[in-house]
Amino acid sequence: MSVFIPERLFGIIGHPLGHTMSPRLHNWAFEQYKIPAVYMTWPTAPEKVKNFMQSFRNLPISGASVTIPHKLSVINYIDQLTPRAKAVGAVNTLYWRNDHIVGDNTDTAGVSEPLRPHCSQVKKALLIGAGGAARAAIYGLKSLNIKEIFITNRTKSKADDLAKEFKISVIDWDNRGDQHFDLIVNSTALGMSGKFEKINPMIMAEQDSNTIIYDLVYNPLETALIKEATEKGCTIIHGIEMFLHQGIEQFKIWTGKNIEPQAARHLLMKHL
Ligand code: NAP
């Protein structure tokens, strides 16, 4: 019997880490490519981030995923930010380049890549929400050269701040249903399992089969927004695509290899 000895170490830090699917995705992909590496979970309380980053610097760790609540705080302990991580102001990926710890943000690709096949038909997009995911979403939408990007948020001042920073336009929360959009991206918590599960963040009267709906919420997969959009014949992109594509991009950065989306999607769906 041969013993598996990993040569490269990866993992995810967050708090709480709960049922993260990242180890499943990356360990499966390492296996597919016969890369002798392992991806672990490293639950890290907020006050331990500094200690973790000391370990990252001193132990043979090749890369890490970073999730809530550490996406901002790790920036204090790295050597370099990629342009997209700088623009978003948050890091979800760590890797080494020439003895420097680099912080990147692949959540942006999690938004842009599932939309890329559709982007030629998108002239006017609405982003609902103005939290952490919204920042990556705006960067992702801008990278697709979508001409008109609007943002709406329950707390208007947050939408105003993002609109100013990223040079996009604001629509009042109460008026978000008043016009047709080619694309609507939900980055609010509305639709998530629990108390928000039955709430659709969008008023859908003006939308039709020419509207693309990308709901970043993936638990549940079929959200209230997606159910109503499906009835209207809209093109649907599920939230799992964001998770999948941010992970595909991480794996490419760490290994130079491409994860095949369909096989990886199948793997994740089995475990949702
Ligand atoms: P966040 O920073 O806490 O932002 C939450 C957003 O939801 C804010 O815009 C907030 O509006 C809005 N919101 C919360 N409760 C609301 C309510 N009752 N009515 C209207 N708006 C409400 O969270 P985040 O990190 O941006 O994540 C947002 C969602 O994106 C998460 O729920 C998660 O499902 C999804 N997400 C998915 C992925 C993925 O891989 N698919 C990755 C990251 C996030 P206010 O500003 O008015 O409070």
Side-chain angles (χ1 to χ4, degrees):
M1 199 177 83
S2 63
V3 179
F4 171 67
I5 302 172
E7 291 170 14
R8 299 182 70 194
L9 189 56
F10 298 86
I12 179 165
I13 64 160
H15 183 79
L17 269 180
H19 62 287
T20 169
M21 291 186 291
S22 296
R24 204 171 287 281
L25 176 69
H26 291 294
N27 284 323
W28 169 81
F30 288 142
E31 226 175 283
Q32 298 295 304
Y33 281 106
K34 305 214 176 328
I35 296 171
V38 68
Y39 184 105
M40 305 175 74
T41 47
W42 294 316
T44 307
E47 65 276 13
K48 297 283 184 193
V49 170
K50 187 175 177 185
N51 295 21
F52 171 81
M53 290 308 296
Q54 275 166 353
S55 304
F56 190 96
R57 205 172 274 285
N58 296 314
L59 298 174
I61 301 175
S62 300
S65 310
V66 180
T67 189
I68 289 167
H70 305 316
K71 288 185 179 188
L72 273 66
S73 56
V74 293
I75 294 174
N76 297 320
Y77 307 105
I78 63 179
D79 304 314
Q80 213 174 305
L81 281 175
T82 61
R84 61 186 173 182
K86 200 171 185 175
V88 174
V91 160
N92 82 328
T93 308
L94 299 174
Y95 61 93
W96 287 97
R97 279 295 176 275
N98 307 324
D99 294 335
H100 284 80
I101 302 176
V102 182
D104 197 358
N105 190 310
T106 69
D107 288 333
T108 55
V111 175
S112 61
E113 293 320 292
L115 289 169
R116 198 170 290 285
H118 306 279
C119 64
S120 63
Q121 73 189 79
V122 179
K123 307 275 179 285
K124 192 169 142 188
L126 174 67
L127 173 66
I128 313 177
R135 296 184 66 87
I138 298 172
Y139 188 94
L141 295 177
K142 291 200 96 171
S143 73
L144 295 171
N145 292 320
I146 294 171
K147 286 220 160 41
E148 290 181 274
I149 303 174
F150 295 87
I151 184 169
T152 189
N153 192 51
R154 175 182 63 173
T155 308
K156 185 166 182 292
S157 58
K158 291 192 200 165
D160 287 338
D161 289 348
L162 285 187
K164 197 168 164 201
E165 183 178 343
F166 289 95
K167 298 186 174 47
I168 59 174
S169 309
V170 181
I171 287 181
D172 283 350
W173 183 248
D174 290 342
N175 301 337
R176 66 195 185 286
D178 292 357
Q179 50 184 308
H180 179 270
F181 294 96
D182 305 316
L183 168 67
I184 297 169
V185 179
N186 174 40
S187 76
T188 72
L190 298 182
M192 272 177 77
S193 71
K195 63 180 177 175
F196 294 141
E197 186 158 347
K198 293 209 160 42
I199 306 177
N200 180 346
M202 187 58 186
I203 300 153
M204 292 292 285
E206 296 298 320
Q207 312 314 316
D208 58 24
S209 60
N210 294 316
T211 308
I212 300 164
I213 300 287
Y214 187 6
D215 196 342
L216 302 189
V217 172
Y218 67 85
N219 182 19
L221 205 55
E222 301 298 326
T223 58
L225 169 60
I226 285 186
K227 282 181 190 159
E228 197 175 338
T230 304
E231 277 170 22
K232 284 190 161 272
C234 303
T235 299
I236 304 293
I237 303 175
H238 290 93
I240 192 68
E241 296 300 315
M242 179 171 179
F243 175 79
L244 175 64
H245 284 274
Q246 62 79 30
I248 288 176
E249 183 91 348
Q250 285 185 328
F251 195 77
K252 176 94 179 170
I253 289 167
W254 292 332
T255 67
K257 307 279 188 209
N258 293 310
I259 293 180
E260 207 282 296
Q262 187 52 28
R265 185 177 296 115
H266 183 70
L267 174 91
L268 296 177
M269 297 296 264
K270 273 198 301 189
H271 296 286
L272 260 184

mmCIF file of all heavy atoms in Angstrom, residues 111-136:
data_model
loop_
_atom_site.group_PDB
_atom_site.id
_atom_site.type_symbol
_atom_site.label_atom_id
_atom_site.label_comp_id
_atom_site.label_asym_id
_atom_site.label_seq_id
_atom_site.Cartn_x
_atom_site.Cartn_y
_atom_site.Cartn_z
ATOM 1 N N VAL A 111 -18.164 36.338 -10.546
ATOM 2 C CA VAL A 111 -19.293 37.088 -11.107
ATOM 3 C C VAL A 111 -19.173 37.179 -12.631
ATOM 4 O O VAL A 111 -20.128 36.928 -13.362
ATOM 5 C CB VAL A 111 -19.367 38.510 -10.484
ATOM 6 C CG1 VAL A 111 -20.463 39.335 -11.157
ATOM 7 C CG2 VAL A 111 -19.639 38.391 -8.990
ATOM 8 N N SER A 112 -17.983 37.499 -13.123
ATOM 9 C CA SER A 112 -17.863 37.770 -14.571
ATOM 10 C C SER A 112 -17.915 36.507 -15.444
ATOM 11 O O SER A 112 -18.532 36.524 -16.512
ATOM 12 C CB SER A 112 -16.572 38.535 -14.867
ATOM 13 O OG SER A 112 -15.440 37.774 -14.487
ATOM 14 N N GLU A 113 -17.297 35.409 -15.005
ATOM 15 C CA GLU A 113 -17.155 34.261 -15.920
ATOM 16 C C GLU A 113 -18.485 33.591 -16.292
ATOM 17 O O GLU A 113 -18.699 33.279 -17.463
ATOM 18 C CB GLU A 113 -16.138 33.259 -15.375
ATOM 19 C CG GLU A 113 -14.721 33.823 -15.358
ATOM 20 C CD GLU A 113 -14.404 34.665 -16.598
ATOM 21 O OE1 GLU A 113 -14.327 34.107 -17.702
ATOM 22 O OE2 GLU A 113 -14.254 35.894 -16.474
ATOM 23 N N PRO A 114 -19.407 33.375 -15.340
ATOM 24 C CA PRO A 114 -20.693 32.800 -15.749
ATOM 25 C C PRO A 114 -21.474 33.726 -16.685
ATOM 26 O O PRO A 114 -22.318 33.275 -17.451
ATOM 27 C CB PRO A 114 -21.440 32.622 -14.421
ATOM 28 C CG PRO A 114 -20.389 32.639 -13.372
ATOM 29 C CD PRO A 114 -19.315 33.529 -13.876
ATOM 30 N N LEU A 115 -21.181 35.044 -16.633
ATOM 31 C CA LEU A 115 -21.907 35.996 -17.478
ATOM 32 C C LEU A 115 -21.272 36.176 -18.848
ATOM 33 O O LEU A 115 -21.905 36.667 -19.776
ATOM 34 C CB LEU A 115 -21.984 37.361 -16.771
ATOM 35 C CG LEU A 115 -22.904 37.432 -15.551
ATOM 36 C CD1 LEU A 115 -22.689 38.738 -14.801
ATOM 37 C CD2 LEU A 115 -24.358 37.297 -15.991
ATOM 38 N N ARG A 116 -20.003 35.787 -18.960
ATOM 39 C CA ARG A 116 -19.252 36.077 -20.192
ATOM 40 C C ARG A 116 -19.964 35.584 -21.459
ATOM 41 O O ARG A 116 -20.065 36.327 -22.444
ATOM 42 C CB ARG A 116 -17.826 35.512 -20.096
ATOM 43 C CG ARG A 116 -16.867 36.124 -21.099
ATOM 44 C CD ARG A 116 -15.429 35.737 -20.812
ATOM 45 N NE ARG A 116 -14.875 36.352 -19.613
ATOM 46 C CZ ARG A 116 -14.494 37.626 -19.510
ATOM 47 N NH1 ARG A 116 -14.593 38.414 -20.550
ATOM 48 N NH2 ARG A 116 -14.015 38.096 -18.383
ATOM 49 N N PRO A 117 -20.521 34.346 -21.454
ATOM 50 C CA PRO A 117 -21.195 33.896 -22.678
ATOM 51 C C PRO A 117 -22.418 34.745 -23.041
ATOM 52 O O PRO A 117 -22.873 34.704 -24.180
ATOM 53 C CB PRO A 117 -21.646 32.466 -22.337
ATOM 54 C CG PRO A 117 -20.888 32.072 -21.124
ATOM 55 C CD PRO A 117 -20.535 33.325 -20.404
ATOM 56 N N HIS A 118 -22.945 35.515 -22.089
ATOM 57 C CA HIS A 118 -24.171 36.288 -22.325
ATOM 58 C C HIS A 118 -23.890 37.775 -22.513
ATOM 59 O O HIS A 118 -24.804 38.533 -22.812
ATOM 60 C CB HIS A 118 -25.120 36.166 -21.122
ATOM 61 C CG HIS A 118 -25.429 34.761 -20.725
ATOM 62 N ND1 HIS A 118 -26.367 33.994 -21.362
ATOM 63 C CD2 HIS A 118 -24.909 33.974 -19.750
ATOM 64 C CE1 HIS A 118 -26.425 32.798 -20.794
ATOM 65 N NE2 HIS A 118 -25.538 32.767 -19.818
ATOM 66 N N CYS A 119 -22.647 38.219 -22.306
ATOM 67 C CA CYS A 119 -22.444 39.658 -22.083
ATOM 68 C C CYS A 119 -22.708 40.513 -23.314
ATOM 69 O O CYS A 119 -23.026 41.686 -23.183
ATOM 70 C CB CYS A 119 -21.090 39.956 -21.452
ATOM 71 S SG CYS A 119 -19.702 39.549 -22.453
ATOM 72 N N SER A 120 -22.656 39.912 -24.522
ATOM 73 C CA SER A 120 -22.913 40.741 -25.705
ATOM 74 C C SER A 120 -24.359 41.243 -25.722
ATOM 75 O O SER A 120 -24.653 42.266 -26.340
ATOM 76 C CB SER A 120 -22.609 39.948 -26.979
ATOM 77 O OG SER A 120 -23.481 38.858 -27.043
ATOM 78 N N GLN A 121 -25.267 40.550 -25.040
ATOM 79 C CA GLN A 121 -26.664 41.007 -25.039
ATOM 80 C C GLN A 121 -26.992 41.896 -23.841
ATOM 81 O O GLN A 121 -28.136 42.300 -23.674
ATOM 82 C CB GLN A 121 -27.621 39.801 -25.085
ATOM 83 C CG GLN A 121 -27.712 39.006 -23.792
ATOM 84 C CD GLN A 121 -28.491 37.710 -23.954
ATOM 85 O OE1 GLN A 121 -27.963 36.732 -24.457
ATOM 86 N NE2 GLN A 121 -29.750 37.713 -23.515
ATOM 87 N N VAL A 122 -25.971 42.202 -23.031
ATOM 88 C CA VAL A 122 -26.236 43.017 -21.828
ATOM 89 C C VAL A 122 -25.735 44.448 -22.026
ATOM 90 O O VAL A 122 -24.538 44.700 -22.092
ATOM 91 C CB VAL A 122 -25.568 42.397 -20.578
ATOM 92 C CG1 VAL A 122 -25.827 43.279 -19.355
ATOM 93 C CG2 VAL A 122 -26.073 40.988 -20.330
ATOM 94 N N LYS A 123 -26.689 45.363 -22.107
ATOM 95 C CA LYS A 123 -26.332 46.786 -22.198
ATOM 96 C C LYS A 123 -26.611 47.476 -20.858
ATOM 97 O O LYS A 123 -25.942 48.416 -20.484
ATOM 98 C CB LYS A 123 -27.173 47.485 -23.283
ATOM 99 C CG LYS A 123 -27.127 46.812 -24.661
ATOM 100 C CD LYS A 123 -25.924 47.272 -25.461
ATOM 101 C CE LYS A 123 -25.849 46.607 -26.827
ATOM 102 N NZ LYS A 123 -25.393 45.197 -26.759
ATOM 103 N N LYS A 124 -27.645 46.976 -20.173
ATOM 104 C CA LYS A 124 -28.105 47.674 -18.974
ATOM 105 C C LYS A 124 -28.277 46.660 -17.835
ATOM 106 O O LYS A 124 -29.050 45.708 -17.971
ATOM 107 C CB LYS A 124 -29.451 48.310 -19.300
ATOM 108 C CG LYS A 124 -29.965 49.296 -18.316
ATOM 109 C CD LYS A 124 -31.162 50.003 -18.959
ATOM 110 C CE LYS A 124 -32.223 50.253 -17.947
ATOM 111 N NZ LYS A 124 -33.443 50.758 -18.548
ATOM 112 N N ALA A 125 -27.519 46.849 -16.763
ATOM 113 C CA ALA A 125 -27.541 45.869 -15.675
ATOM 114 C C ALA A 125 -27.904 46.547 -14.352
ATOM 115 O O ALA A 125 -27.550 47.709 -14.123
ATOM 116 C CB ALA A 125 -26.179 45.209 -15.549
ATOM 117 N N LEU A 126 -28.581 45.796 -13.497
ATOM 118 C CA LEU A 126 -28.900 46.276 -12.149
ATOM 119 C C LEU A 126 -28.263 45.352 -11.132
ATOM 120 O O LEU A 126 -28.462 44.131 -11.180
ATOM 121 C CB LEU A 126 -30.423 46.287 -11.921
ATOM 122 C CG LEU A 126 -30.861 46.647 -10.487
ATOM 123 C CD1 LEU A 126 -30.527 48.109 -10.164
ATOM 124 C CD2 LEU A 126 -32.358 46.399 -10.290
ATOM 125 N N LEU A 127 -27.508 45.921 -10.220
ATOM 126 C CA LEU A 127 -26.960 45.170 -9.093
ATOM 127 C C LEU A 127 -27.786 45.523 -7.855
ATOM 128 O O LEU A 127 -27.910 46.700 -7.509
ATOM 129 C CB LEU A 127 -25.491 45.554 -8.876
ATOM 130 C CG LEU A 127 -24.841 44.967 -7.622
ATOM 131 C CD1 LEU A 127 -24.735 43.449 -7.724
ATOM 132 C CD2 LEU A 127 -23.461 45.574 -7.405
ATOM 133 N N ILE A 128 -28.329 44.503 -7.205
ATOM 134 C CA ILE A 128 -29.100 44.729 -5.979
ATOM 135 C C ILE A 128 -28.207 44.381 -4.795
ATOM 136 O O ILE A 128 -27.707 43.249 -4.708
ATOM 137 C CB ILE A 128 -30.373 43.855 -5.932
ATOM 138 C CG1 ILE A 128 -31.137 43.937 -7.267
ATOM 139 C CG2 ILE A 128 -31.277 44.277 -4.796
ATOM 140 C CD1 ILE A 128 -32.368 43.028 -7.322
ATOM 141 N N GLY A 129 -27.991 45.351 -3.902
ATOM 142 C CA GLY A 129 -27.144 45.116 -2.732
ATOM 143 C C GLY A 129 -25.874 45.933 -2.812
ATOM 144 O O GLY A 129 -25.394 46.258 -3.913
ATOM 145 N N ALA A 130 -25.320 46.270 -1.643
ATOM 146 C CA ALA A 130 -24.127 47.118 -1.611
ATOM 147 C C ALA A 130 -23.170 46.675 -0.500
ATOM 148 O O ALA A 130 -22.493 47.489 0.117
ATOM 149 C CB ALA A 130 -24.536 48.584 -1.423
ATOM 150 N N GLY A 131 -23.123 45.365 -0.238
ATOM 151 C CA GLY A 131 -22.212 44.845 0.786
ATOM 152 C C GLY A 131 -20.911 44.366 0.166
ATOM 153 O O GLY A 131 -20.503 44.831 -0.914
ATOM 154 N N GLY A 132 -20.255 43.404 0.831
ATOM 155 C CA GLY A 132 -18.955 42.912 0.361
ATOM 156 C C GLY A 132 -19.038 42.248 -0.999
ATOM 157 O O GLY A 132 -18.200 42.506 -1.882
ATOM 158 N N ALA A 133 -20.051 41.403 -1.204
ATOM 159 C CA ALA A 133 -20.165 40.705 -2.491
ATOM 160 C C ALA A 133 -20.421 41.687 -3.620
ATOM 161 O O ALA A 133 -19.990 41.461 -4.763
ATOM 162 C CB ALA A 133 -21.280 39.663 -2.419
ATOM 163 N N ALA A 134 -21.111 42.790 -3.301
ATOM 164 C CA ALA A 134 -21.431 43.781 -4.332
ATOM 165 C C ALA A 134 -20.163 44.412 -4.912
ATOM 166 O O ALA A 134 -20.084 44.689 -6.112
ATOM 167 C CB ALA A 134 -22.334 44.864 -3.755
ATOM 168 N N ARG A 135 -19.153 44.610 -4.080
ATOM 169 C CA ARG A 135 -17.916 45.240 -4.573
ATOM 170 C C ARG A 135 -17.255 44.351 -5.641
ATOM 171 O O ARG A 135 -16.833 44.839 -6.687
ATOM 172 C CB ARG A 135 -16.936 45.495 -3.420
ATOM 173 C CG ARG A 135 -17.431 46.472 -2.377
ATOM 174 C CD ARG A 135 -16.365 46.741 -1.329
ATOM 175 N NE ARG A 135 -15.215 47.430 -1.911
ATOM 176 C CZ ARG A 135 -15.107 48.745 -2.032
ATOM 177 N NH1 ARG A 135 -16.064 49.528 -1.593
ATOM 178 N NH2 ARG A 135 -14.038 49.293 -2.584
ATOM 179 N N ALA A 136 -17.195 43.045 -5.355
ATOM 180 C CA ALA A 136 -16.625 42.123 -6.356
ATOM 181 C C ALA A 136 -17.525 42.070 -7.579
ATOM 182 O O ALA A 136 -17.037 41.979 -8.720
ATOM 183 C CB ALA A 136 -16.463 40.731 -5.746
#
